[in-house]
Structures are given as C-alpha cells and as structure tokens.
C-alpha cells in the first residue's frame, strides 16, 4: 500500500526483531514476512512469505495475519487481528519459540545501540559495543591489534583511532591496502566526531555517547533505486527515464527488456561505473554515489565477457585475483583458504586444476562469479550471464544465482533469457526509452501485460513504441504494492543532479601489484603454446635469413640488405609480441581497474614481461645473423664499443620501441581480429621510412614523418656502427644519421628511448579512455 492521504494519529513505534529495529511511521503500512521486499523481513522457515501486516488505525496500531501457514501469536494464542503498542510482544510461526517482535515507544533521541546511516529509515543493531577508548587503539586484521577485524580486505595493521586528552578523536590510516574512510570518503588522517561513520573493510564504526559501536556488513543489504535518469547528447536522448524500484535483502532480481531498453545503462548506474545524471541509489540507506569510494568494495560485477585468463587453471586464476584484491600482508595460506572456500561454494572442486579454456560456458561463468566472491561482496551484479548457453546451462546458472541470494546476498542479473525467471524474487521489465514497464513477482508479469508468452510481450514493445508503458504501470495497483509500499527508505529525489561520485582512493602497494601482474602475465604467456612457438621461431628464422644475406662479410652487395633484414626482424618481433596484448584483455582490465588496479602497474607489467622477451629475441636474432661475420667496421671498431655489441644493442632497442608501438596499436583498436592487418601495415611503414629505400634527408614532410618511425633511428645506429657510407657509397648512405660518430650514434639510440616513452604515455592515455567513467576522475 502507498502512503495515506490523511495521517492517522497513531504514535510512532519502534519494532525490534533479532535482525534490528524499525521505526514505524503512522503514514504507511508495514509488511512482515520472508519476502525480501517486505519492510520487516524475518528469515525463518516458520514465517510465511507474506505473513502479516502492521497498520495504523486512528490512534493505535494493529497487526493483521495474512492467512499465514503457522500463525501469528499474542499472549500465547493465535490471532487474526490484534492491537499493539509499547510493550506488546508478538511471535510468528510458533507461540513459544517463534521469531519475536517487541514494540517500544519512539523517543526523540536515537535509541542507544541503534545505527542510522545517512538517509536511512531503518535501524540496525551494532555487532559489538565497546566503551570509548581512553588511549590510541590500533585497528586491523592481525591478532596483535587492540581492535581485531576478521576480514581479508583489511590490512594486518590498518588504522589507528587516536584518543586525545581532551576527549576528541582522530582516525589515522596506516598505509592500508584498501583504504580508511570517513563518511564514505578516503582519508589518511581526520577528526572523528559523534555521528561520523568510519569505514574499514566491511565494518563501520561510530562514536555514540560513551560507546564505540561496530556494525559489520554481513551481506544482507537492501538497494533502493529512486528515479534514476541518464541522458546523453546534452540531454536530447534519454537512456533511463525516472527508474525506481526497491530490492530487498537476499533478493534475486532479473532485469529484462528488448534491445535498447537501457539494461546495460541501468547496470552501469547501479554499480557506479557510469553514475546516473539524476536520482539516487541507496545502499542500505547510504547514498551509493556519495559514498562510492568506500562502498565500491562491496559490489561484485560479472560482465558478459569472461574476466579470466583462459590459459590459467581455475585455482591459479583465483589465486592471482586474490593477490590483487587482498592486502599485501595477507599470508599465502589465508588467500588459499579463501580461494578454496569459493571453489567449494560454487561446486568447482573437480575442475580447480583444469585450464579455464577447457571448461564449458556455464562452468566458466561460475569461475567468473567465484572471482567476484573472493572479497565477499554484498551486492552482486551480472550482465547476461546465460548469453550463448543452452537451456540446461541457462537454468543451472540461474539456480546458482538463486543459491547465492539465499546465502545472504542481493543479486541483480541483466538477461535476455526468460527461461528461468521463476527462480527470481522480483522482475524488472524495461520498455524502450529506459522506462519501467513492470516491477513485481515474475509470475504476475505476463498476466499484467495480457500475453501468454514473452515473445508476444517483446513484440508489443517494438510494435507500440508510442504506448505509455511507464504511465500504465504507475497508475496500476502494482506500483503501490511493489514499489511505493515496499521500500523502507525515505525518498531522496533531488531537484538537481545526483550526488557527485568522488575520485576513488589511490591504489596502494604499487610494487606488490606490479609483482603479481608480472608473475600472472608470465604464467599466461608461458601457458600459450602458440605464442611460445612463435616467440622462439621468429628470431631464429629471421636470423637465418640475415645470415644468408650477410654471408661471411658485410660488403657493397650485402651490408645494406643485412642491416635491413635485422631491422625488419626486430620490428616484427617486437610488434608481433604486443599487438594483441591490450585489446584481448580489455574486459579484464576494466573490471580490475574498477576494484583498485593501478593503471601504471598494469602497463608496466606488460612492458617488463614483453620487453624482456623482445630484448632476448633481438639478441638471438642478431647473434644468429652476425656472429662470426666480418662486419667490416672502420679499423674493426664500432663507435663506442665492439661493432657486434653496438648492433645488438641497436636491434634490441629498436625491437623494444616496436613493441611499445605494438602496445599502442593494441590500445587503439576495439577488436582483436584487426590487429594482424595492422601489424603488416606497421612493418611496411617501418621499411619505407627506415631510410634504406628512400632518401629522406632534406625532403620536407617525409623527413619529419620519419622521425616517428623507430626503424629510421634503429637503421641509423646500425649503419653508423659500420660506417655504411664508406662500404656503400651513394646518396642514400650519405644520410647524416648514418655517420660513424659517437654523437650521431647516441642521438639515434636516444631517439629510440624517446619514442618508447612517448608510445607508453599514449598507451596510458588510451587505457584511461576504456576505463569505467568513475575511474577517470
């Protein structure tokens, strides 16, 4: 039921159950039952889904049984309707030991031991209550802390609550991995006043009177979505149009609708990846956008594409993910124990040692979910988890999600499939234009639309695009029953934009992230047999070709071709190594970036691993081609050192620059299949602008364009080492960059370094472009 037009004179009451306290306002009714969307949820098998209703009647309150199976009891006897007030005690399901509700009068002061998050209409019992400390208290996961938090996302020594002689307090972060938060914002040191919320991991602390209260987020949270609106093209196109709905604790919500209805836009708005322009999202009463820096750790997101390295085994992939998401001081045994827990929870024990690419689609989706469950998120979002699966796998995945919700999480799944909607508690149907066409139990949806099959309903959306689907739902009784009367939260719709999402906290433990990423990337590449074969064969084949061209001595006929072969080999080796490596991991990078991955650590891991491989290939290439060959350098000496060493360094640096260029290409493209044609184009450009085929010096435009081509400088350095102009006289070899002089050789080598750095900076910028919008702040 909706709010009443005439306010009764019944007093405000506080209803206390085992799960917390709720303030009863006389302006509305309150439903009691196991239904997660009930205002008062009692999770007990003896309680019916819709068990009873509390109603204000004139100057008093009554509780009315809703034909429950096991009954409602007052004073030891079963009742159908009963007046309640301060001091009343009601039992549900059993007169003796059934879940109990106690009524108390509402006082102007907040009751001791109750926690009301900002903008929350519900009270939650503190998990623990301690006297306010009179000295500094260290908080962390380690047993040697004064206040121990058993939570793997909390660092061993996480923060300190500083107590000052004047009875004031400060919170000090101790360089924790996942940050310390005050009222949702990351802090390093800040004053704490009564009423402030200090967030550490899944715990929140408040100073109340002479007590320090702790509240632990166990996962049973509600989500209240209030009139979300998303517009693009300066407001000319609406993607979401005032979308509102509540999601109760332990609820499984499915979001369906035709293509273009705004399902992905809604998912991005709910997860904070692309916040809505207007409206609010309340996470258990807290404004998700305002407190996103803290609450994002409690949100799990499984994209449509797998967020896994398919070459790794299930256990190894989860182990690397645990290293990235848990603090650096987490012991290996602790991480392994958590990995084993999620493997067991999702029934992956028999497949833990198998490479992910050998699993079925449904099993791979389970591994993606397992990865997100490592940090025990309270909210779990999934985007098209059954896409491409057969009906059996579809139902298996949906039943898995049902189990996850029953275990104490709120699960929201965006799907095109309507095969298993019956396992969901609630269904949200979006019409074109991002409007709510239906919200309620899945079993009532088709009857509401007046169709027998879902394809008929979707055809109606496409056929009747001018129909006011949202208006019809708002005027129906379902709006009041399932939206207006189902949310315990106050309405927070603002006249202006939604709360601004603050910048995320800076990633901690950059070095630890880099180490983990390097080891994981090396493991992925070493498990890719095709890559290994190409990596070994390419420098050897190109080296043999160079050897055949060079002969026993670099002469007028052989020297230019030999150096050009080395140049092409170095470019191909470096660019081929990197040209796929960013685009193929884009979905993985986006998700890991959203949970705190450092952009620079990610890029540096690519540079370290691929750079090492590329340099080794360049050394093999050069030695196979030139070892034992008379390089015909002036007086047998190079510019600064031995000729073979100088050429080896030049080829290595050229290959490294080409690798950075390959990363740039991979960051630019959107599809992996276009990288191979671009690789050929890169190789051709390197040959044309190297200076071996065209006279570039003094040609306006061409000369400046060639400055951006690594082969131009690499060939210049190699030519300078052997004084190519002396061996092969002519206009091409008289290029100033080919001179046998230390300054010229150093300029050539320095330019390769400069180009590598420039390419890396551009790649970093392009990585930012593909990140979730909230991470670009």
């Amino acid at each position: 039921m909706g709010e009443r037009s005439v306010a009764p004179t019944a007093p405000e009451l506080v209803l206390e159950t085992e799960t917390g306290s709720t303030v009863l306002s006389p302006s509305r009714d309150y439903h009691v039952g196991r239904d997660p969307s009930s205002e008062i949820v009692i999770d007990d098998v003896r309680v019916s889904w819709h068990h009873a209703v509390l109603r204000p009647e004139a100057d008093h309150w009554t509780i009315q049984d809703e034909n429950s199976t096991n009954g409602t009891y007052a004073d030891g006897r079963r009742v159908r309707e009963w007046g309640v007030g301060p001091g009343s005690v009601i039992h549900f399901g059993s007169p003796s030991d059934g879940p109990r509700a106690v009524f108390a009068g509402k006082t102007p002061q907040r009751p001791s031991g109750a926690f009301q998050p900002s903008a929350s209409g519900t009270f939650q019992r503190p998990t623990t209550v301690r006297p306010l400390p009179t000295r500094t208290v260290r908080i962390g996961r380690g047993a040697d802390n004064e206040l121990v938090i058993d939570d793997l996302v909390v660092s061993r020594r996480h923060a300190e609550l500083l107590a000052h002689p004047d009875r004031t307090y400060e919170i000090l972060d101790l360089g924790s991995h996942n940050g310390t938060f005050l009222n949702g914002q990351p802090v390093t040191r800040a004053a704490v006043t009564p009423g402030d919320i200090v967030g550490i991991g899944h715990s929140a602390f408040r100073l109340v009177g002479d007590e320090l209260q702790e509240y632990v987020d166990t996962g049973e949270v509600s989500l209240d979505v209030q009139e979300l609106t998303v517009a693009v093209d300066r407001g000319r196109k609406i993607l979401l149009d005032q979308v509102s709905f509540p999601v109760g604790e332990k609820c499984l919500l499915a979001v369906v609708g035709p293509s273009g209805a705004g399902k992905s836009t809604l998912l991005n708005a709910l997860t904070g990846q692309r916040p809505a322009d207007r409206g609010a999202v309340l996470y258990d009463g807290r404004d998700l956008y305002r407190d996103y820096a803290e609450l994002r750790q409690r949100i799990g997101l499984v994209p449509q594409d797998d967020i896994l390295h398919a070459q790794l085994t299930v256990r190894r992939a989860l182990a690397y993910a645990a290293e990235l998401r848990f603090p650096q001081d987490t012991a290996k045994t602790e991480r392994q124990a958590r990995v084993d827990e999620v493997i067991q929870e999702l029934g992956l024990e028999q497949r833990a040692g198998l490479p992910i690419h050998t699993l079925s689609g449904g099993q791979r989706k389970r591994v993606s979910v397992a990865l997100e469950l490592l940090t025990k998120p309270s909210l779990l979002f999934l985007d098209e988890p059954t896409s491409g699966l057969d009906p059996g796998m579809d139902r298996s995945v949906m039943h898995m999600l049902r189990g996850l919700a029953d275990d104490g999480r709120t699960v929201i799944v965006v799907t095109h499939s309507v095969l298993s909607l019956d396992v969901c508690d609630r269904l949200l149907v979006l019409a074109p234009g991002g409007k709510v066409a239906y919200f309620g139990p899945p079993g009532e949806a088709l009857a509401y639309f007046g169709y027998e099959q879902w394809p008929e309903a979707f055809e109606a959306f496409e056929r009747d695009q001018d129909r006011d689907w949202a208006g019809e739902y708002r005027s129906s009784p379902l709006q009041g029953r399932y939206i207006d009367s189902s949310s315990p939260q106050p309405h927070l719709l603002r006249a202006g934009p939604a709360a601004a999402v603050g910048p995320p906290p800076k990633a901690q433990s950059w070095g630890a992230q880099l180490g983990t990423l390097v080891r994981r990337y090396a493991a992925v590449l070493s498990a890719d047999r095709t890559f290994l074969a190409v990596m070994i064969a390419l420098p050897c084949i190109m080296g043999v070709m160079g050897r055949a061209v060079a002969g026993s001595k670099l002469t007028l006929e052989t020297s230019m071709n030999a150096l050009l072969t080395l140049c092409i080999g170095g470019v191909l080796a470096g660019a081929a190594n990197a040209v796929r490596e960013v685009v193929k991991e884009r979905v993985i990078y986006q998700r890991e970036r959203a949970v705190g991955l450092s952009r620079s650590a990610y890029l540096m891991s690519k540079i370290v691993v691929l750079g090492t491989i590329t340099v080794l290939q360049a050394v093999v290439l050069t030695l196979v081609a030139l070892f034992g060959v008379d390089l015909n350098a002036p007086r047998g000496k190079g510019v600064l050192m031995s000729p073979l060493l100088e050429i080896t360094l030049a080829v290595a640096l050229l290959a490294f620059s080409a690798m950075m260029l390959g990363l740039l290409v991979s960051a630019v493209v959107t599809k992996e299949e276009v990288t191979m044609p671009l690789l050929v184009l890169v190789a051709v450009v390197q040959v044309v602008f190297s200076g071996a085929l065209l006279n570039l010096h003094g040609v306006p435009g061409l000369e400046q364009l060639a400055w951006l081509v690594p082969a131009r400088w690499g060939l210049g350095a190699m030519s300078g080492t052997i004084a190519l102009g002396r061996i092969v006289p002519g206009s091409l070899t008289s290029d100033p960059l080919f001179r046998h002089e230390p300054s010229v050789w150093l300029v050539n080598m320095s330019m390769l370094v400069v180009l590598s750095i420039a390419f890396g900076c551009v790649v970093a910028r392009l990585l930012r472009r593909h990140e979730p919008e909230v991470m670009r702040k």
Side-chain angles (χ1 to χ4, degrees), residues 197-227:
I197 302 174
V198 176
I200 297 178
H202 290 83
S203 297
F205 299 89
R206 294 177 74 245
L207 310 180
V208 179
D210 58 352
E211 296 177 342
L212 175 63
Q213 300 180 351
E214 178 183 6
Y215 306 83
V216 178
D217 186 343
T218 60
E220 298 184 10
V221 300
S222 64
L223 194 71
D224 202 63
V225 181
Q226 299 184 353
E227 302 202 20

Side-chain angles (χ1 to χ4, degrees), residues 627-648:
F627 186 75
V629 174
D630 183 356
L631 300 181
N632 199 11
R635 299 180 300 279
K637 297 180 180 179
V639 175
L640 296 173
M641 55 195 85
S642 72
L644 182 58
L645 180 56
E646 283 189 6
I647 292 178
T648 302

Side-chain angles (χ1 to χ4, degrees), residues 598-638:
S598 166
R599 182 191 307 137
S600 59
Y602 175 81
L603 178 56
M604 187 57 68
S605 70
K606 298 289 185 189
I607 294 172
V608 168
V609 176
L610 292 176
T612 301
I613 294 171
T614 300
V615 168
L616 290 175
Q617 287 178 307
V619 171
V620 171
L621 165 65
T622 309
L623 293 180
V624 171
L626 298 182
F627 186 75
V629 174
D630 183 356
L631 300 181
N632 199 11
R635 299 180 300 279
K637 297 180 180 179

Side-chain angles (χ1 to χ4, degrees), residues 686-723:
Q686 300 299 313
V687 173
V688 172
F689 288 93
S690 65
L693 303 181
L694 297 176
N695 190 350
L696 301 172
H697 177 63
V699 181
L702 283 182
E703 182 176 22
Q704 289 71 34
L705 184 60
W707 293 348
L708 302 176
V709 177
R712 171 73 168 135
W713 308 99
L715 183 62
M718 289 187 282
S719 299
T721 293
I722 65 172

